Amino acid sequence: MNCMEFRRISLEDPQHMGDEADQHLEQCTACHTYYRGLLQQERLLEKAFAIEVPDDLAARVTLRQRLEEQGDSAVTMLPTRDNVVAPVKWRKWATGFALAASIVAVTLGINLRTQGNPAQIAQMLVDHVEHEAYTLQLQDAVTQGRLAYTLNNVDIETLAHLGGVTFAGNCLIEGQLAAHLVVQTESGPVTILMMPNSELRPFDYSSADATRVQTVALERGSLALIGPEAVDLDRVRERVISSVRVLRI
Amino acid sequence: MNDKQNLFNSLVEAYQKPLYRYGYWLCGDRTIAEDLVQETFLRAWRALDSLQSMGAAKSWLITILRRENARRFQRKSLDYSDLPMESLVDERSSEGFSAELESLRVGIANLEEMYREPLLMQMVMGFTQEEISEQMEIPANTVATRLRRARLQLRDLLMDEEEEMGGATQ
């Protein structure tokens, strides 16, 4: 591969260029510099695209769906673009409902997570991993775009390349949205659950079947790592923590 | 809560943010973006039984949102040049504002739709080039070309900014 081909491929998807391009990158200083600049641009682009999302959007969507389900005439009064002058009374009520729904969700979420001892919480996390066991079998690395997208959904920003991620998806853990990642290590796959909306008590627990579960506090919410005891979870944890930032938006 | 409602709630939780951001960068208006998301999910709810698997949900939702956006233009007989570009982003009051980011946002907004949308699909929705090709119904090599051009245009913009900043400090 020559420099021109490398630059063409890197501009198409800088995070997923293929082996040939990676080899070229290692050998060519000029392209290395070029690529570093491109990655900087990508990080800036990720930030630029991530505009703030209204806090109560999900509540509004669900409310509208439920009203339609009930055949409520209030559906016609929802604040759509064509109907922006919806009655103030409705808006107040909808906002109140949305806020109440959020508060209930948050309260329930936190209660669920602070209850129970480490063994119970660890079992809940292991059950979740077992429920999605296929994710441990995947071998191909996900694209940085896929990873950024998954993390973005839970307001986490990628600060550096987090290598070896073979699965990235969003899931619900006890009703709270989380980012579910799997990284492959020499000693086996490690599941990483990033839960900015859940406060888990920090602990390090080994189960009878030689599975280790570690939870730590993030700037907001918690991080859980689940993997075989043979894996150096501390190292994985440090790598993850230094690669991401939980946004407070 | 029944299974259908659970599935719907999971979809809302998982996709409301990327869909809102996608919608916003399509139309350039927060209110319209919210309408697009609400309409998309409402249509998704009505047709939820036709969703084959969770794996197909993202493409399905984007298809609905893009159609909804197209309908908006049909309804109002607008053309794409009517996009309110100047009001696209005003995040000055938000956390982490930087002039560079602001310029980039204006740059994204000023990209031609044909370049902006594949980039959005890749960076906001996490689509592969093949998925973008299917979604936009254009050949994969056209997608690759558009992604390259989009990044090059934004790179030129950032370099111009840098030069201006350099000039200003001299």
Side-chain angles (χ1 to χ4, degrees), chain A residues 182-241:
Chain A
V182 176
V183 292
Q184 293 294 339
T185 72
E186 283 173 7
S187 312
V190 176
T191 299
I192 299 161
L193 300 172
M194 306 182 83
M195 302 168 282
N197 303 313
S198 308
E199 303 289 345
L200 284 176
R201 188 188 310 165
F203 64 80
D204 196 335
Y205 179 85
S206 290
S207 69
D209 64 350
T211 301
R212 190 171 162 202
V213 180
Q214 203 178 70
T215 60
V216 287
L218 293 171
E219 298 101 308
R220 181 163 70 86
S222 304
L223 168 74
L225 298 106
I226 302 108
E229 272 186 340
V231 176
D232 184 354
L233 277 192
D234 298 342
R235 208 170 133 205
V236 178
R237 185 193 66 225
E238 288 314 310
R239 212 176 86 204
V240 172
I241 288 176

Side-chain angles (χ1 to χ4, degrees), chain A residues 143 145-147 149-150 153 168-170, chain B residues 11 14-16 18-19 22 40-41 44 51-66 120-128 131-132 135:
Chain A
T143 63
R146 175 81 63 185
L147 179 62
Y149 159 78
T150 303
N153 284 339
N170 293 108
Chain B
L11 290 177
Y15 295 115
Q16 47 134 346
L19 284 178
Y22 193 93
T40 299
F41 279 117
L51 177 63
Q52 308 280 325
S53 68
M54 272 302 270
K58 190 170 64 168
S59 294
W60 184 60
L61 289 168
I62 275 292
T63 303
I64 301 175
L65 187 139
R66 294 181 78 229
L120 263 177
M121 285 193 184
Q122 190 181 59
M123 297 203 67
V124 177
M125 298 305 298
F127 281 150
T128 63
E131 287 170 328
I132 299 170
Q135 189 65 241

Side-chain angles (χ1 to χ4, degrees), chain A residues 30 64 70 74 76 84 89 132-133 141 148 169 188-189 197 220-221 229 237:
Chain A
R64 192 166 173 194
Q70 292 161 12
T76 54
V84 286
K89 200 175 164 187
E132 301 193 16
N197 303 313
R220 181 163 70 86
E229 272 186 340
R237 185 193 66 225

Side-chain angles (χ1 to χ4, degrees), chain A residues 117-192:
Chain A
N117 58 38
Q120 288 169 322
I121 296 170
Q123 190 55 52
M124 182 267 285
L125 295 171
V126 170
D127 287 348
H128 179 83
V129 171
E130 284 177 355
H131 185 67
E132 301 193 16
Y134 74 95
T135 59
L136 304 173
Q137 308 299 322
L138 305 172
Q139 294 297 321
D140 293 336
V142 299
T143 63
Q144 187 68 14
R146 175 81 63 185
L147 179 62
Y149 159 78
T150 303
L151 295 177
N152 234 3
N153 284 339
V154 287
D155 297 327
I156 296 176
E157 179 189 16
T158 46
L159 297 175
H161 183 63
L162 180 63
V165 179
T166 51
F167 174 78
N170 293 108
C171 59
L172 291 175
I173 297 177
E174 305 268 307
Q176 298 290 321
L177 192 66
H180 181 142
L181 314 181
V182 176
V183 292
Q184 293 294 339
T185 72
E186 283 173 7
S187 312
V190 176
T191 299
I192 299 161

Side-chain angles (χ1 to χ4, degrees), chain A residues 59-80:
Chain A
R60 279 168 176 269
V61 167
T62 312
L63 173 66
R64 192 166 173 194
Q65 168 260 320
R66 292 208 174 148
L67 289 174
E68 167 157 309
E69 183 69 354
Q70 292 161 12
D72 194 312
S73 58
V75 171
T76 54
M77 292 157 66
L78 280 156
T80 63

